[in-house]
Amino acid sequence: MVSEKHGDAINLSHHLSDIARARQTSPLKGLAKYLGNPGLISLAGGMPNPAYFPFASVSGEALVPDSYPLNVTTESSSTSWFWKLFSSSGSKERTTPITIGKYPKKPEDVNLATALQYGMATGLPQLKEVLKEFVEKVYQPAYGNWTTLIHTGNTDGWAKAVLTLLNPGEGILCSEWTYPSALASALPFSVTPVPVAMDGQGMRSDALRKVLAEWDEEARGMPRPHVLYTVPVGQNPTGATMLAARKKEIYAVCVEYDIVIVEDDPYYFLQVGDYVPESERANQNDLSSASDDVFIAGLAPSYLKFDYQGRVIRLDTFSKTVAPGSRLGWYTCNPMFAERLERAAETSTQAPSGFSQTLVTSLLLEWKYDGYIRWLKGLRVQYKQRRDYFVDCLAEEFHLRKTVATQGYRAGATVLEASLKPKGIFVNYKEKDVLYSRIFSLVPPTAGMFVWLEMHFEEHPSFAELGYKKLENKLWIALAEAGVLFGPGQMFSATPVTNETEGNGHFRISFSFNDNSEMRKAVAIFGTVARKFFSSRV
């Protein structure tokens, strides 16, 4: 079902940066609009002759869209190799051949002569057609003249958005915990993060309104921000997912205060739902009976679905659904923003690879829309099982007590508070045997690839003299020396740490890459190191 349209985007050109206003269409790129004219003989460009490209064709074997099951139960291994070995399809991966020739047999064919040539920054026409259908059916933008534009991954897409929207000395509205590379992309241009308080769904709409309503330009030393950066699904690093009602609230605030929303959404199709303890789990992963429409309707909607003014620039990537090495993604936004972002791409040294576009486009044309959705369903099941398995490992190593957060960035979310289990004679421990000193807590992520631990260092013997920042660093080093590397939490803070003796430490842990045995081993090492670390001064 496609959402109701509310006309075309409004004029938001006043949000463009000075650099974006100064950019002109590349003189050579400006000639490209004539290249499709029938009978045209072009002697204007400096394009090499395709006959000299040293590739006659490129071939590969692509997995079929239903390579991963939709109904793996808790009794089966969460790793894909196990399912492939014992599924009815046998141990051999099922594939389909894809060959891209140098020259097209039909005008609409993807071909190397076009894909490897200098081309328009908007992307291959065939890829744009695929994305048009995908965006229309999945995200359902609420205005009529949206368009798509290729970029080389979301971090690069965001960097170009910074140059297009922001001038030096301005600020970016962002969550209090956020993706550090997004801030790193902006800081060299003298753009400052403006943190907004969070709860269990991510950024709070009331906190956003408060920041904007109480903005004091003289006290802050910069104008009120007009750009908001958000990772609303699988919020990086907390793993929170923002639901429709909250997005509507934030969008309304952004309309009221004239804010452009940059929606960075790499984990959109890794929405895995709430964690259910293993003892209570009963085939929570079954998507076999869900139609495509039901699957899509069950996902938290994009801001695009509520964007009737064209003030959202959405960043999508194939990094999490195809391969990060493709360095390929796309914007969905209004034509005015797309035109300026395209001009930024025309003069960039980092442009979408012709090889990447060719391979990904050919894959999607082979799979078609239904096949790609089937692939995404399978990925969702795989990541749900990975999330469940990692939290299960924590539950085996530590005692996890369920509670509900009432304040702070996790307010409203179910929290698991971890304490140490006794060792030795208490192998078959009972509830009364648990060492109730809380050492960390987590909210099982509802999307994405990460578990975000909050370390409760106030229980540590050296907390009064060292504070949480130094203790976080010491524990991080102890874990690394023991053979386990976590992501230190300080790098994800939008606010520099000024008081080392207050607060808690954090770690971001990925469950996306390692196999089950490695994850179990890592958690066991974490338990051993934590037991020693919290039992003595450091």
Side-chain angles (χ1 to χ4, degrees):
M1 179 179 178
V2 177
S3 59
E4 179 186 356
K5 297 295 186 294
H6 300 267
D8 290 344
I10 65 173
N11 184 357
L12 295 167
S13 58
H14 55 284
H15 284 285
L16 295 174
S17 68
D18 293 340
I19 289 177
R21 295 175 190 278
R23 278 200 175 104
Q24 302 297 316
T25 300
S26 169
L28 291 176
K29 296 290 184 180
L31 303 175
K33 65 181 179 180
Y34 298 106
L35 295 180
N37 292 353
L40 179 75
I41 300 174
S42 174
L43 303 178
M47 299 187 296
N49 192 300
Y52 306 142
F53 296 169
F55 300 96
S57 65
V58 174
S59 300
E61 296 287 327
L63 296 181
V64 296
D66 58 347
S67 290
Y68 296 101
L70 301 182
N71 58 349
V72 177
T73 64
T74 56
E75 286 74 26
S76 298
S77 169
S78 66
T79 53
S80 59
W81 61 265
F82 185 98
W83 178 78
K84 289 172 183 172
L85 282 175
F86 295 99
S87 68
S88 59
S89 62
S91 60
K92 181 176 173 57
E93 291 182 331
R94 291 181 295 142
T95 62
T96 184
I98 292 178
T99 298
I100 305 106
K102 181 178 288 189
Y103 301 107
K105 295 180 180 179
K106 297 178 291 186
E108 66 271 19
D109 286 349
V110 177
N111 61 90
L112 299 178
T114 299
L116 301 186
Q117 187 59 269
Y118 292 121
M120 298 178 66
T122 53
L124 288 177
Q126 297 92 334
L127 180 56
K128 287 180 65 65
E129 284 300 310
V130 170
L131 296 178
K132 179 180 179 182
E133 178 185 18
F134 187 82
V135 170
E136 182 72 31
K137 290 182 176 179
V138 176
Y139 303 136
Q140 305 167 16
Y143 66 102
N145 64 332
W146 55 271
T147 189
T148 61
L149 179 71
I150 299 300
H151 59 64
T152 60
N154 281 16
T155 301
D156 175 65
W158 161 246
K160 289 185 173 67
V162 169
L163 289 175
T164 299
L165 298 171
L166 292 154
N167 290 312
E170 294 186 332
I172 307 166
L173 297 157
C174 61
S175 299
E176 57 185 302
W177 296 104
T178 194
Y179 178 47
S181 293
L183 302 186
S185 298
L187 289 175
F189 301 102
S190 299
V191 174
T192 304
V194 178
V196 179
M198 302 167 62
D199 63 10
Q201 281 194 54
M203 184 180 290
R204 287 169 32 200
S205 56
D206 60 335
L208 175 62
R209 180 181 295 278
K210 179 177 174 64
V211 168
L212 295 170
E214 298 179 358
W215 192 265
D216 185 327
E217 184 170 330
E218 183 175 350
R220 293 272 195 164
M222 59 180 172
R224 188 172 68 194
H226 64 100
V227 175
L228 183 152
Y229 171 80
T230 180
V231 183
V233 173
Q235 200 273 342
N236 195 350
T238 67
T241 297
M242 187 180 292
L243 302 180
R246 176 67 57 81
K247 286 176 178 170
K248 288 180 181 178
E249 294 169 3
I250 288 179
Y251 186 84
V253 173
C254 290
V255 169
E256 180 179 350
Y257 287 92
D258 191 22
I259 308 297
V260 173
I261 300 171
V262 181
E263 181 180 27
D264 184 1
D265 217 352
Y267 310 110
Y268 187 79
F269 291 100
L270 306 186
Q271 298 186 40
V272 296
D274 294 331
Y275 170 77
V276 176
E278 188 174 12
S279 60
E280 305 171 19
R281 205 176 298 148
N283 200 18
Q284 298 288 321
N285 298 320
D286 193 352
L287 284 176
S288 58
S289 61
S291 68
D292 292 350
D293 289 343
V294 169
F295 169 66
I296 291 168
L299 300 172
S302 166
Y303 272 102
L304 290 175
K305 190 166 185 176
F306 314 117
D307 182 23
Y308 61 91
Q309 293 189 333
R311 63 176 60 250
V312 173
I313 299 176
R314 180 179 171 85
L315 304 177
D316 274 288
T317 179
F318 290 109
S319 292
K320 309 302 186 291
T321 60
V322 176
S326 68
R327 305 313 308 147
L328 191 62
W330 76 95
Y331 303 97
T332 304
C333 58
N334 77 53
M336 186 275 297
F337 286 145
E339 178 189 11
R340 300 296 168 157
L341 290 165
E342 181 180 358
R343 293 183 184 181
E346 288 172 350
T347 56
S348 172
T349 57
Q350 188 175 11
S353 159
F355 271 118
S356 291
Q357 290 193 62
T358 300
L359 291 174
V360 173
T361 303
S362 298
L363 177 70
L364 297 179
L365 288 173
E366 173 66 30
W367 281 354
K368 298 184 172 50
Y369 171 80
D370 293 344
Y372 188 39
I373 295 296
R374 173 59 180 81
W375 174 262
L376 295 172
K377 288 180 182 179
L379 287 186
R380 188 261 190 188
V381 171
Q382 293 294 307
Y383 278 94
K384 178 176 174 60
Q385 290 178 117
R386 283 181 165 276
R387 187 277 313 269
D388 289 350
Y389 184 81
F390 187 79
V391 179
D392 290 346
C393 289
L394 290 173
E396 289 181 13
E397 183 69 26
F398 302 91
H399 175 72
L400 300 183
R401 185 177 70 91
K402 185 186 296 186
T403 185
V404 177
T406 58
Q407 59 186 358
Y409 71 91
R410 303 188 298 192
T414 298
V415 178
L416 302 179
E417 295 186 338
S419 51
L420 293 167
K421 291 179 180 179
K423 294 291 185 180
I425 62 172
F426 295 106
V427 172
N428 296 316
Y429 78 96
K430 294 182 171 29
E431 184 77 10
K432 65 182 179 63
D433 297 322
V434 173
L435 306 179
Y436 276 105
S437 179
R438 182 183 63 164
I439 62 172
F440 70 85
S441 60
L442 72 143
V443 175
T446 53
M449 297 178 166
F450 309 108
V451 169
W452 180 242
L453 296 189
E454 179 171 308
M455 303 303 302
H456 298 289
F457 289 128
E458 69 274 11
E459 304 287 350
H460 195 279
S462 300
F463 178 73
E465 59 184 283
L466 296 180
Y468 77 94
K469 185 177 179 181
K470 290 182 179 178
L471 285 172
E472 177 186 301
N473 189 55
K474 286 181 176 293
L475 178 56
W476 182 83
I477 292 173
L479 286 165
E481 291 177 344
V484 175
L485 194 63
F486 288 173
Q490 296 168 31
M491 68 173 65
F492 298 92
S493 176
T495 305
V497 175
T498 57
N499 190 331
E500 297 184 356
T501 60
E502 294 181 3
N504 296 315
H506 297 84
F507 292 117
R508 194 192 73 172
I509 306 171
S510 172
F511 54 82
S512 61
F513 181 79
N514 302 90
D515 63 29
N516 286 359
S517 62
E518 290 176 321
M519 286 195 279
R520 182 179 292 276
K521 181 179 179 180
V523 171
I525 293 173
F526 178 34
T528 300
V529 172
R531 182 175 299 278
K532 179 179 179 181
F533 187 82
F534 279 89
S535 65
S536 60
R537 299 174 66 84
V538 294

